[in-house]
């Protein structure tokens, strides 16, 4: 099941805003999908499977297949996949897209008590956004041994030197996440 993409507009201040009804329906569709998948496994696995479906949407669009969901109180408040090509924006990583959507949806820039599920270990830029948004927990799939910033190459969110630290849980459905990336790059060669 694929969930429809969000339709965002940028207001005169440069902030994103969403059609509330469409956005609410879209997020509720993610919640329904997670509930459906949870019948076959754990909540965390259901969320990561949904993030993998989001990543697959990116692959179909020719983007590197990484998907992310932001949850608060076990409800999806933001979702995204990599979109730097489509958006002509080098910062449009899945995590950034999902964080922007969650902030716009809630009308605030802090996402305290939120959790981010992402199919690939976040990079330095994305960990910076996670810290600035005050996201409490990050669950990721595959390690990124070239650019990972939550333990693989760097450990930015947990080293205690910043004003916010992040609980990190890696390796959730890592094989499936890594396989999706491998297949994408194999098809490009």
């Amino acid at each position: 099941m694929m969930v429809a993409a969000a339709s965002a507009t940028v207001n005169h201040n440069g902030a994103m805003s969403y059609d509330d009804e469409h956005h609410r329906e879209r997020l509720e569709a993610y919640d329904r999908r997670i509930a459906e998948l949870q019948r076959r496994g754990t909540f965390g696995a259901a969320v990561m499977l949904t993030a993998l479906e989001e990543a697959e949407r990116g692959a179909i669009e020719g983007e590197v297949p990484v998907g992310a969901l932001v949850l608060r109180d076990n409800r999806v408040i933001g979702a995204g996949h990599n979109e730097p090509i489509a958006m002509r924006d080098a910062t449009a990583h899945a995590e950034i897209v999902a964080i922007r959507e969650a902030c716009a949806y809630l009308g605030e820039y802090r996402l305290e008590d939120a959790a981010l599920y992402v199919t690939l270990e976040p990079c330095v830029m994305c960990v910076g956004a996670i810290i600035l948004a005050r996201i409490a927990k990050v669950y990721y799939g595959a390690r990124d041994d070239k650019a990972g910033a939550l333990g693989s190459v760097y450990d930015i969110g947990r080293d205690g030197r910043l004003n916010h630290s992040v609980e990190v849980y890696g390796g959730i459905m890592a094989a499936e996440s890594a396989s999706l990336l491998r297949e994408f790059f194999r098809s490009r060669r």
Side-chain angles (χ1 to χ4, degrees), residues 6 8-10 16 18 61 63 79-94 96-98 100-101:
T9 58
V10 178
M16 290 179 18
Y18 293 86
E61 296 171 2
E63 304 278 4
H81 57 270
N82 275 358
E83 296 187 71
I85 298 166
M87 295 179 79
R88 297 184 181 118
D89 178 357
T91 69
H93 289 196
I96 301 294
V97 173
R100 286 177 180 161
E101 182 177 35

Side-chain angles (χ1 to χ4, degrees), residues 49-70:
L49 276 169
T50 307
L52 280 163
E53 291 173 354
E54 186 70 24
E56 289 170 356
R57 179 181 305 138
I60 290 166
E61 296 171 2
E63 304 278 4
V64 174
V66 177
L69 299 173
V70 178

Side-chain angles (χ1 to χ4, degrees), residues 48 51 66-69 94-95 116-122 138-142:
M48 192 58 78
V66 177
L69 299 173
E95 301 94 323
L116 173 74
Y117 286 77
V118 61
T119 58
L120 180 66
E121 180 182 0
V138 174
Y139 301 86
Y140 71 83

